[in-house]
Amino acid sequence: MSALRYSFSQIEAFACVAEQGNLSRAALSLGKDRTTLRDLIDYFEDALGYPLFIRQGRTLVLTEQGQQLHRQAHLLMRQAQAFEFYAQSLPQPDQQELVMVYDSFVSQAFIDAVIVMMSKEGIRFSAWSASREEAEAALTAGTAQIAVCQANNRALGMDMEWCALGNIELDFYAASGLFQHQQRPLTLLNLSLKPQLVMHHKHDEQIARRLQISGHTLYVNERSALRSLLENAQGWGFLPTHYQASTWKDVQAIETEVGNQGLTITMVAIWQPGQTKQPVTGRLISALPELWRNSLQG
């Protein structure tokens, strides 16, 4: 396809001068300088090889060729206006969206880091806390694209893909008066006789065995409510150290017979096969391990 010999500005100038019959009025109508308009007409006539106007006093009158060309120019300008109207009426594409489900033990620093990344990329981002069972159901249903969960040491088969993120350290926390009559270190029997505050409403069997000790559990899925329950001695918790629960009123880490060394859980990101090929989801999946490391350093 050969390059056009004439610019849109030249055709626009020609059509306007033909309708106005005067350079000054045409320049005012187009918001251009009179000299600029005259140059556009001159260049157009030079490219065509014949004149478009003849001067009769202060009026510019179309030549025979100009009259024929003006009809085509008029149609072209109407088409250009229709194109502009259509282009402006097209809806703006929605921001791309991404939904992430995360375990309640995930640190706020990590969630904040993901939010900052999504904001910088102009991605509409949703995030909500859920158990591993609920997270996998959301991925399967397509209501979430990524889940950050506790590892459950079972094969995912072909249903899900995953990558390890890192470990979360855990410790035992309770109000100072909850176990005041028990000797330290507390035994597992001592712990089992008091209500345990649990942040996971639905557990698969392996996660339940790791985290649940007491036969009487109180479920709470919001951190400020957990804090209030702990401070008011409603139960004890086996919680991430990054919660910094020992800074809460009358709450302290409690010594137990199992100690507090090596009490960790591994966190993983999981997603359905093919998500890494999606531009937005793929970039976040690639960035998750580094975001996790940086959130620990913060």
Side-chain angles (χ1 to χ4, degrees), residues 10 13-15 17 23 36-46 52-53:
Q10 290 173 335
F14 163 63
V17 171
L23 277 175
T36 300
L37 205 60
R38 175 73 265 179
D39 290 341
L40 287 170
I41 297 297
D42 288 343
Y43 294 148
F44 194 28
E45 289 178 329
D46 289 343
L52 296 172
F53 299 97

Side-chain angles (χ1 to χ4, degrees), residues 46-170:
D46 289 343
L48 290 169
Y50 52 80
L52 296 172
F53 299 97
I54 55 175
R55 181 174 293 279
Q56 293 182 354
R58 296 183 177 181
T59 303
L60 293 175
V61 179
L62 288 169
T63 64
E64 182 177 349
Q65 294 99 324
Q67 292 176 7
Q68 296 181 40
L69 199 60
H70 176 241
R71 288 190 287 270
Q72 296 301 318
H74 179 75
L75 292 173
L76 181 59
M77 296 306 300
R78 290 286 300 271
Q79 289 176 333
Q81 290 172 351
F83 174 84
E84 182 178 11
F85 177 82
Y86 178 77
Q88 292 178 349
S89 68
L90 287 177
Q92 293 296 316
D94 291 334
Q95 284 181 303
Q96 293 174 291
E97 297 186 11
L98 189 146
V99 179
M100 186 177 80
V101 186
Y102 62 93
D103 187 275
S104 56
F105 280 2
V106 171
S107 72
Q108 187 62 47
F110 173 73
I111 300 300
D112 290 344
V114 176
I115 291 173
V116 169
M117 176 181 172
M118 293 293 93
S119 178
K120 288 181 177 178
E121 295 199 8
I123 307 302
R124 188 178 292 114
F125 179 68
S126 299
W128 49 280
S129 178
S131 69
R132 173 68 183 255
E133 180 182 337
E134 292 166 330
E136 288 194 24
L139 295 178
T140 301
T143 54
Q145 289 75 50
I146 301 175
V148 178
C149 308
Q150 296 182 34
N152 58 11
N153 300 315
R154 64 175 170 82
L156 291 175
M158 300 295 292
D159 296 331
M160 298 287 172
E161 297 180 353
W162 66 280
C163 72
L165 296 178
N167 295 328
I168 289 178
E169 295 183 355
L170 303 174

Side-chain angles (χ1 to χ4, degrees), residues 6 67-68 102 124 133 193-194 199 259 261 265 268:
Y6 324 110
Q67 292 176 7
Q68 296 181 40
Y102 62 93
R124 188 178 292 114
E133 180 182 337
L193 295 176
K194 296 289 186 180
M199 297 193 71
Q261 299 299 313
I265 54 175
V268 297

